[in-house]
Amino acid sequence: MAEAPLCGLQDEFTCLLCLDTLTDPVTIPCGHNFCLKCLTDCWDQSQECSCSQCRHTFTTKPELNRNTLLSEVIKKCKRPRLSSPPPQSYASFEDVECDFCTGEKFRAVKSCLTCPASYCQTHLQPHYEVATLKHHKLVDPDRNLKEKLCEKHQKSLEIFCKTDDSCICLMCGVTEHNGHKMVELEMEREEKQKQLGATLSNIKRGLEEREKTLKETRRVMEEMKVSGLGRQNFI
């Protein structure tokens, strides 16, 4: 995110004492603004109360009250703003198209498993801004969303039923799979990946052992061959 400039009013929002943006700004009777701490420290160290900008001297020390309106204006001008969204491009043959574009379609940047649909950058924005959409499950663009939906309920497959060894949706979990042993699909996927990793490690270890045995067998055969030739030459 980039910080917005101070609305083109940097000089008006700068304290003449610290030469930085006003903090807890106070406005004195002559109309000029200073940081509360800067002006308090300055007047505490001086024998007279005067404005450092117009040099006006006050016979009695003015009461310093925080300028709430000015403080809010500075806050709004300093508020970070979102960077401009990246330029969109039309979907090519290998891209996933946005389901909500009319006419020539933009390239989808996310697919929603909850909706289910694919969205370009513009049509995806409500998923980041609307409260009811923020909890939807977004994934990388996927042209095969139907394969990730329950055929019966048309809901996203989020649960793995260990009893039936199948992927199911939440609706299935409370109906025909009620009472079965179930886990989240992501947990089952991680477990399967660990098992696959262990299997591959065992296979690799077995291949290495076989390779080692084969090399040893070749070495022994080569020694026997050399030994046999030596005896023939001796005879």
Side-chain angles (χ1 to χ4, degrees), residues 6 12-13 21-27 33-36 65-79:
L6 291 175
E12 288 77 0
F13 292 161
T21 303
L22 290 166
T23 302
D24 291 331
V26 291
T27 303
N33 305 299
F34 299 90
C35 297
L36 174 60
N65 295 314
R66 186 167 177 264
N67 190 326
T68 305
L69 178 60
L70 180 58
S71 179
E72 289 301 316
V73 171
I74 293 174
K75 278 185 181 179
K76 288 183 179 180
C77 286
K78 291 182 66 177
R79 184 173 297 161

Side-chain angles (χ1 to χ4, degrees), residues 83 87 92 157 233:
S83 301
S92 60
L157 300 172
N233 293 333

Side-chain angles (χ1 to χ4, degrees), residues 13 21 43 49 62 64 68 70 73 75 110 114 120 137 151 153 172 186 225:
F13 292 161
T21 303
W43 283 358
C49 298
L64 300 179
T68 305
L70 180 58
V73 171
K75 278 185 181 179
K110 287 290 181 181
T114 310
C120 66
K137 188 173 183 180
E151 292 183 0
H153 302 108
C172 291
E186 288 298 323
K225 181 179 178 180

Side-chain angles (χ1 to χ4, degrees), residues 23 39 48 73 75 84 129 153 176 186 196 215:
T23 302
L39 189 59
E48 63 178 14
V73 171
K75 278 185 181 179
S84 300
E129 299 169 356
H153 302 108
E176 55 261 40
E186 288 298 323
L196 179 60
K215 287 182 178 180

Side-chain angles (χ1 to χ4, degrees), residues 1-24:
M1 293 190 297
E3 185 176 286
L6 291 175
C7 308
L9 300 172
Q10 286 90 340
D11 292 341
E12 288 77 0
F13 292 161
T14 299
C15 173
L16 189 63
L17 295 172
C18 66
L19 301 180
D20 203 351
T21 303
L22 290 166
T23 302
D24 291 331

Side-chain angles (χ1 to χ4, degrees), residues 89-98 104-108:
S89 58
Y90 289 107
S92 60
F93 176 75
E94 65 272 11
D95 292 327
V96 178
E97 295 181 344
C98 173
E104 192 169 4
K105 294 181 177 292
F106 282 119
R107 177 177 61 85

Side-chain angles (χ1 to χ4, degrees), residues 22-223:
L22 290 166
T23 302
D24 291 331
V26 291
T27 303
I28 56 180
C30 62
H32 296 120
N33 305 299
F34 299 90
C35 297
L36 174 60
K37 186 177 185 306
C38 293
L39 189 59
T40 300
D41 291 345
C42 178
W43 283 358
D44 286 347
Q45 298 171 10
S46 176
Q47 295 181 352
E48 63 178 14
C49 298
S50 62
C51 174
S52 300
Q53 187 163 346
C54 67
R55 303 302 177 185
H56 180 83
T57 301
F58 305 102
T59 54
T60 58
K61 183 177 181 180
E63 183 179 357
L64 300 179
N65 295 314
R66 186 167 177 264
N67 190 326
T68 305
L69 178 60
L70 180 58
S71 179
E72 289 301 316
V73 171
I74 293 174
K75 278 185 181 179
K76 288 183 179 180
C77 286
K78 291 182 66 177
R79 184 173 297 161
R81 60 183 179 183
L82 293 174
S83 301
S84 300
Q88 298 195 98
S89 58
Y90 289 107
S92 60
F93 176 75
E94 65 272 11
D95 292 327
V96 178
E97 295 181 344
C98 173
D99 292 320
F100 289 84
C101 286
T102 57
E104 192 169 4
K105 294 181 177 292
F106 282 119
R107 177 177 61 85
V109 294
K110 287 290 181 181
S111 293
C112 178
L113 297 180
T114 310
C115 289
S118 297
Y119 300 89
C120 66
Q121 188 68 48
T122 299
H123 290 118
L124 180 66
Q125 282 307 117
H127 275 76
Y128 297 128
E129 299 169 356
V130 180
T132 54
L133 299 178
K134 288 182 178 180
H135 303 293
H136 285 195
K137 188 173 183 180
L138 298 176
V139 297
D140 290 333
D142 192 335
R143 65 177 72 254
N144 300 315
L145 283 177
K146 290 184 178 180
E147 297 179 3
K148 294 178 172 59
L149 296 178
C150 171
E151 292 183 0
K152 183 176 181 179
H153 302 108
Q154 292 301 300
K155 300 291 184 180
S156 60
L157 300 172
E158 301 180 32
I159 301 175
F160 184 79
C161 177
K162 286 182 171 289
T163 304
D164 293 333
D165 194 30
S166 61
C167 299
I168 61 175
C169 71
L170 290 172
M171 190 66 71
C172 291
V174 297
T175 54
E176 55 261 40
H177 293 266
N178 186 29
H180 290 188
K181 186 177 181 180
M182 295 175 285
V183 296
E184 291 184 3
L185 195 60
E186 288 298 323
M187 292 180 61
E188 183 64 21
R189 182 180 290 112
E190 291 176 1
E191 182 62 28
K192 294 292 186 185
Q193 287 177 342
K194 289 180 181 178
Q195 294 176 2
L196 179 60
T199 301
L200 291 175
S201 296
N202 291 334
I203 293 174
K204 182 179 180 181
R205 193 179 302 111
L207 290 174
E208 290 174 349
E209 289 294 330
R210 290 186 180 184
E211 182 69 20
K212 183 178 179 180
T213 301
L214 180 60
K215 287 182 178 180
E216 181 65 19
T217 301
R218 287 176 177 173
R219 185 188 65 79
V220 172
M221 290 180 65
E222 189 66 26
E223 288 180 353

